[in-house]
Amino acid sequence: PVIPLLLYLMQSTLGSEAGWLHWKDVLSEPAVKVVLVGFVWLYAHHFFAGIRYLLLDVHMGTALPQARASSFAVIGVSLVLTVIFGVWLW
C-alpha cells in the first residue's frame, strides 16, 4: 500500500507548484515524520533480514552463534540507519 501512495505523491508534487506546497506542508507535520521513520525502519529491517536469509539459504552462518550474531546485526544496522534518517528528517 505504500508504493501506490508514493507514486501518487510524486505525481502530485511534480504536477504543479500548489501540489508541491501542499505535500511539503503535510510532510512537515511531526506525526507524519514519525510514520515515515517507522516505515524506514520497517523497510530497512526487511531488506537486511532478506540478505541474512539469502545467506542462510546458501548455508552461510547457519551455526547457532553465527545465526544469533547475524540476527543482532540485522536489528542493529536497521536501527542505526533509521536513527540516521530520523536525524536527517528533523
Side-chain angles (χ1 to χ4, degrees):
V2 174
I3 292 177
L5 178 64
L6 289 176
L7 289 174
Y8 172 73
L9 178 78
M10 188 165 37
Q11 178 186 1
S12 298
T13 58
L14 295 176
S16 67
E17 186 177 351
W20 165 254
L21 293 173
H22 169 73
W23 284 106
K24 184 178 174 187
D25 290 340
V26 169
L27 292 174
S28 67
E29 294 292 326
V32 175
K33 288 182 179 182
V34 169
V35 170
L36 286 175
V37 168
F39 277 122
V40 166
W41 178 78
L42 182 130
Y43 282 117
H45 183 77
H46 184 78
F47 176 77
F48 290 113
I51 291 173
R52 176 179 178 256
Y53 281 112
L54 285 174
L55 292 173
L56 290 173
D57 284 344
V58 294
H59 304 288
M60 293 179 63
T62 55
L64 186 59
Q66 293 170 336
R68 283 187 177 159
S70 67
S71 67
F72 286 125
V74 165
I75 293 171
V77 170
S78 63
L79 286 176
V80 166
L81 288 178
T82 303
V83 168
I84 290 171
F85 177 77
V87 168
W88 174 79
L89 188 62
W90 262 284

